[in-house]
Amino acid sequence: MINIFTSPVFYICLTLGLYSLFSFLRGIIKNQLFNPLLLTSISIILYLLVIKSITGYATKETVDIYTNALNFVNFMLSPLTVCLALPIYTRRHIIKQYWLPILVGTIIGCAVSMSSVFILGHFFGLNKEMIYSLLPKSVTTAIAKEISQDIGGIPEITIASVIVTGICGALFGPILTKIFKLDRSASIGMAFGASSHAVGTSKAVEISTRAGAISSVAIVTSGILTVIIALFL
Amino acid sequence: MKLLKQLSVIAGFSIIGEIISYLLKELLDIFIPGSLIGMIILFILLTTKVIKYDFVDDVGEFFVNNMGFFFVPVAVSIMNYFGILAPIWWKLLLIIIISFFLTFVSVGLSVKLTMFIQDKLRGDIDD
């Protein structure tokens, strides 16, 4: 009986079902903190903990059965990143108009994000592997995972830090926008996009459509620059 | 049929990117993820109208809008690291929050300054 509830088909169905459900609810609730990736992952972790206690398997074994069932998504990760060309293509007029603010924001964003992680990481006495896992936290999931693998971080921890960074953007971004009087679309859009990727962008869209468009471009430009900086690590 | 065609175009770019990435690694010893190279080539070909947008739009937009789904397995695998994270998770959280503040504020202010200078030089203001 338990075999049915740990079978690949069940796991695929469960993941698709939960993600669809949370995406649907996200559409109704309209709050960035209601993040489908976060909520689906937490639900499945709780489910796997229950399965673990019933079957008596080790954590690694339980997780392996799940990730093997969902193995097919790994084939899609590379084409997924390729698709990031679309949001910047449809916003090419924005790039033309705002190339200088985008360039400045991207460079400052990557430099501050990566150097602050590096300095704070040493300050808190983290090991190299942990610091490298946090370095790409400001860029979009697909690119962050690639960078983390390449420089010797732990992709799982990188993905978690990317999610937490996104939540920071949705939580604190609007307050910071007011405190520092960011009133222009370019400064709002770049701040959200370069610091907190897609989650921040969905918050920037609420402030203004143009800020959202600039923010979407910032996601990709920050991703590219972070990859380039990571070459030297 | 249309979706499969689009999927094959996108997967094709991903393969081309992987091949170039491999060559760069072998010949020049620089590592750039193949997917990123594929993305840049696709962007250039779309902009130069070599490839029409409706060759990739449906599948591409689906992927962009539902990207989170594909990262559920990696996110769930963090269970394997609960032991390592237990004593240090608060440090990581603190680093992420402080770094977020610094990044957001420095980008916001530097772009604000850039826009201000640009307006002065041009003498007009457009949002």
Side-chain angles (χ1 to χ4, degrees), chain A residues 1 13 50 70 72 87-89 110 133 136 170 176 188 196 200 218 224:
Chain A
M1 183 60 185
C13 180
V50 173
L70 270 289
F72 73 97
I88 49 170
Y89 169 73
C110 290
S133 305
L176 291 175
I188 298 170
S196 51
I224 295 174

Side-chain angles (χ1 to χ4, degrees), chain A residues 72-144:
Chain A
F72 73 97
V73 304
N74 291 326
F75 299 121
M76 307 311 293
L77 293 186
S78 178
L80 208 64
T81 315
V82 171
C83 293
L84 288 172
L86 273 65
I88 49 170
Y89 169 73
T90 52
R91 292 171 182 84
R92 58 198 181 284
H93 56 283
I94 290 279
I95 303 178
K96 223 172 176 177
Q97 191 183 348
Y98 292 101
W99 67 272
L100 185 63
I102 291 172
L103 187 69
V104 172
T106 305
I107 294 172
I108 299 281
C110 290
V112 173
S113 170
M114 293 177 94
S115 58
S116 62
V117 167
F118 211 75
I119 295 165
L120 288 165
H122 279 289
F123 177 76
F124 283 107
L126 295 181
N127 63 26
K128 226 175 171 178
E129 202 181 23
M130 276 303 160
I131 296 176
Y132 282 174
S133 305
L134 293 188
L135 272 184
K137 69 167 179 43
S138 291
V139 306
T140 191
T141 344
I143 300 176

Side-chain angles (χ1 to χ4, degrees), chain B residues 22-97:
Chain B
Y22 174 80
L23 291 176
L24 281 174
K25 178 99 189 156
E26 289 295 307
L27 301 174
L28 302 168
D29 202 31
I30 33 180
F31 178 77
I32 298 175
S35 53
L36 210 67
I37 298 175
M39 179 194 91
I40 293 167
I41 297 175
L42 176 60
F43 175 71
I44 293 170
L45 293 185
L46 281 171
T47 321
T48 52
K49 310 255 184 254
V50 176
I51 284 197
K52 281 196 204 140
Y53 188 62
D54 59 14
F55 254 59
V56 288
D57 58 350
D58 295 311
V59 173
E61 282 169 15
F62 168 79
F63 275 156
V64 172
N65 294 332
N66 297 290
M67 217 164 240
F69 171 76
F70 297 88
F71 293 95
V72 173
V74 198
V76 168
S77 307
I78 197 149
M79 280 176 81
N80 288 328
Y81 298 91
F82 278 176
I84 303 175
L85 289 174
I88 55 164
W89 67 271
W90 63 273
K91 290 183 187 174
L92 303 188
L93 186 64
L94 212 57
I95 292 175
I96 292 171
I97 294 174

Side-chain angles (χ1 to χ4, degrees), chain A residues 28-59:
Chain A
I28 297 173
I29 296 175
K30 296 198 191 310
N31 185 327
Q32 280 72 19
L33 302 179
F34 199 91
N35 182 316
L37 169 58
L38 177 70
L39 295 174
T40 309
S41 306
I42 291 176
S43 313
I44 288 172
I45 288 176
L46 293 176
Y47 178 80
L48 292 182
L49 288 174
V50 173
I51 289 294
K52 186 191 157 200
S53 67
I54 295 174
T55 57
Y57 287 157
T59 308

Side-chain angles (χ1 to χ4, degrees), chain A residues 100-102 104-105 108 176-191, chain B residues 104-120:
Chain A
L100 185 63
I102 291 172
V104 172
I108 299 281
L176 291 175
T177 310
K178 286 203 183 75
I179 295 175
F180 291 94
K181 298 193 171 52
L182 305 178
D183 45 4
R184 305 285 294 269
S185 297
S187 51
I188 298 170
M190 285 309 297
Chain B
F104 190 96
V105 173
S106 59
V107 172
L109 292 180
S110 62
V111 173
K112 196 178 174 182
L113 182 68
T114 311
M115 299 291 282
F116 179 75
I117 295 169
Q118 230 181 1
D119 290 341
K120 284 274 174 212

